[in-house]
Amino acid sequence: MVMPLHNKAEHVAAAIESALAQDFAPFEIVVVDDRSTDGSRDIAASFAGERLRLLGREEPGPGGYAARNLGIREARGDWIAFLDADDLWREDHLAVLARAIANAPGAGAAATRFDHVFDTHRQPQRIAQKLEAGAVLDFRQFLECWLEVRECPMWTGAIALRRDVLIDAGLFPEGRARRGGDKDLWLRAMRRTSLAYDPTFTADFSRDSSNKVSKTTNTLSTPCLIGTARKLMTDADTEERRLLRRLINQEIAHYARYSLKLDQPIRIPLSDVNLPEGLGTLAMLAVTRWTPVSWRKSAYHFVKSLRAGSARMRQGQ
């Protein structure tokens, strides 16, 4: 297991304890500290021993990508699971992953379901219908499930991948991305292997914890996943290319919606949108680039209310 750490003193002890409390004990826990200044490193060091190794980097890496990459390279096991220092595993997390791996020996990745945990409520991971009873997904099916619910089936804190798959895929995009690098790696990795998915809830994704990178950084330029998807198209079959084109448009629309609430306009070029199927995305991107801030923010709250109403309707069905 690999855990990046940077100024998470309020949370790191609970995260490590959740890893140590697993019914299926982790082979090792590798914590990589990015020069924490709030006592986080000392807290992690208090757990150091036979099962926990504490490593350090001289320079923090935005998003923890460089720290995770160091942990992967230093890991001694064949499979790598990830847990951020402000998230939690339930006691059966590794056991469920191990069961999924055993039931799909050819898969190089495994994932479970998780809860988004906010200060005021919990929200279950949205999953495609195909995943509700568990499934083994090839690359095409992985893309279909992603597109169906507009969420990647894999979240970093609820997965495990073979170490060789991660290395062959090129690891996390340190130096290339401040946000969105996780999904970029899962896309590259899934082009090389299959995913064993178990719908058991085994992890908690903390959305309102302190010092979150996602709350202190913005992505206004083209996300690295777009370039990765375009590269994958070069040797993809016709159906995979169609799905990758849809994924590119979906991701651009996601960042365009997010940018509506920001003071700065998005910088993703209109030429990144795949046409003709991405006409709606093109229109949204144009709006976010060239309308006044007050109009953009009004549009954001309108879109947010529509999505909230749609979610309530789904829950009532």
Side-chain angles (χ1 to χ4, degrees):
M1 185 271 273
V2 171
M3 175 185 291
L5 175 62
H6 180 68
N7 289 349
K8 294 288 186 179
E10 184 180 347
H11 310 287
V12 63
I16 292 174
E17 286 168 355
S18 77
L20 291 171
Q22 290 297 297
D23 296 333
F24 184 92
F27 176 72
E28 65 176 352
I29 300 171
V30 181
V31 178
V32 183
D33 179 63
D34 276 336
R35 296 192 66 181
S36 293
T37 58
D38 67 343
S40 296
R41 182 186 178 97
D42 292 338
I43 294 171
S46 70
F47 291 92
E50 184 177 338
R51 289 173 58 194
L52 188 145
R53 286 193 289 150
L54 177 60
L55 308 178
R57 295 182 62 251
E58 288 302 312
E59 183 177 351
Y65 302 143
R68 289 195 194 120
N69 286 345
L70 175 59
I72 293 166
R73 294 187 186 102
E74 293 290 328
R76 297 163 180 159
D78 294 331
W79 283 81
I80 308 292
F82 300 95
L83 179 64
D84 282 355
D86 54 0
D87 297 322
L88 297 172
W89 284 346
R90 302 177 195 179
E91 291 182 357
D92 61 347
H93 175 68
L94 291 182
V96 173
L97 283 174
R99 181 179 67 203
I101 291 166
N103 290 337
T112 62
R113 199 170 181 184
F114 62 92
D115 276 327
H116 299 270
V117 180
F118 299 88
D119 286 341
T120 58
H121 65 285
R122 303 173 73 92
Q123 179 179 315
Q125 177 199 15
R126 295 176 60 201
I127 60 172
Q129 185 175 3
K130 183 180 182 65
L131 300 180
E132 291 178 354
V136 179
L137 307 179
D138 60 19
F139 183 58
R140 183 183 301 181
Q141 294 166 328
F142 173 75
L143 293 174
E144 290 171 343
C145 289
W146 191 337
L147 290 164
E148 181 180 328
V149 296
R150 295 188 299 180
E151 287 186 19
C152 181
M154 300 169 67
W155 167 61
T156 310
I159 60 172
L161 290 96
R162 283 205 325 261
R163 182 172 177 270
D164 63 306
V165 170
L166 290 165
I167 292 173
D168 290 346
L171 301 180
F172 290 93
E174 59 179 279
R176 292 197 297 117
R178 292 176 62 81
R179 295 179 62 177
D182 300 50
K183 292 189 295 184
D184 180 75
L185 175 54
W186 310 148
L187 186 63
R188 286 181 274 122
M190 284 304 302
R191 192 66 182 88
R192 293 162 168 78
T193 190
S194 55
L195 170 69
Y197 188 91
D198 188 306
T200 305
F201 285 90
T202 68
D204 290 345
F205 180 12
S206 177
R207 303 303 299 270
D208 291 326
S209 59
S210 60
N211 192 35
K212 287 194 75 67
V213 171
S214 60
K215 292 185 179 295
T216 58
T217 61
N218 297 320
T219 300
L220 295 170
S221 301
T222 302
C224 62
L225 181 147
I226 304 303
T228 294
R230 292 197 189 283
K231 288 180 181 178
L232 292 177
M233 280 193 229
T234 59
D235 62 352
D237 61 34
T238 301
E239 179 61 15
E240 289 172 347
R241 283 197 299 273
R242 185 184 70 84
L243 294 170
L244 286 166
R245 287 170 62 87
R246 287 182 57 198
L247 181 64
I248 288 171
N249 289 340
Q250 179 176 281
E251 288 298 297
I252 291 174
H254 169 75
Y255 282 99
R257 282 191 297 270
Y258 174 80
S259 73
L260 288 172
K261 65 179 180 179
L262 304 178
D263 292 332
Q264 307 88 359
I266 198 166
R267 296 189 294 271
I268 297 177
L270 299 184
S271 57
D272 279 348
V273 178
N274 287 310
L275 297 175
E277 61 268 44
L279 285 174
T281 298
L282 185 69
M284 181 183 296
L285 187 58
V287 167
T288 62
R289 286 175 65 91
W290 293 314
T291 58
V293 172
S294 60
W295 292 12
R296 290 203 308 267
K297 290 186 175 181
S298 295
Y300 168 77
H301 291 297
F302 177 70
V303 171
K304 187 176 180 180
S305 65
L306 286 179
R307 295 185 69 185
S310 176
R312 288 193 295 270
M313 289 180 62
R314 287 194 302 269
Q315 291 172 0
Q317 289 176 349

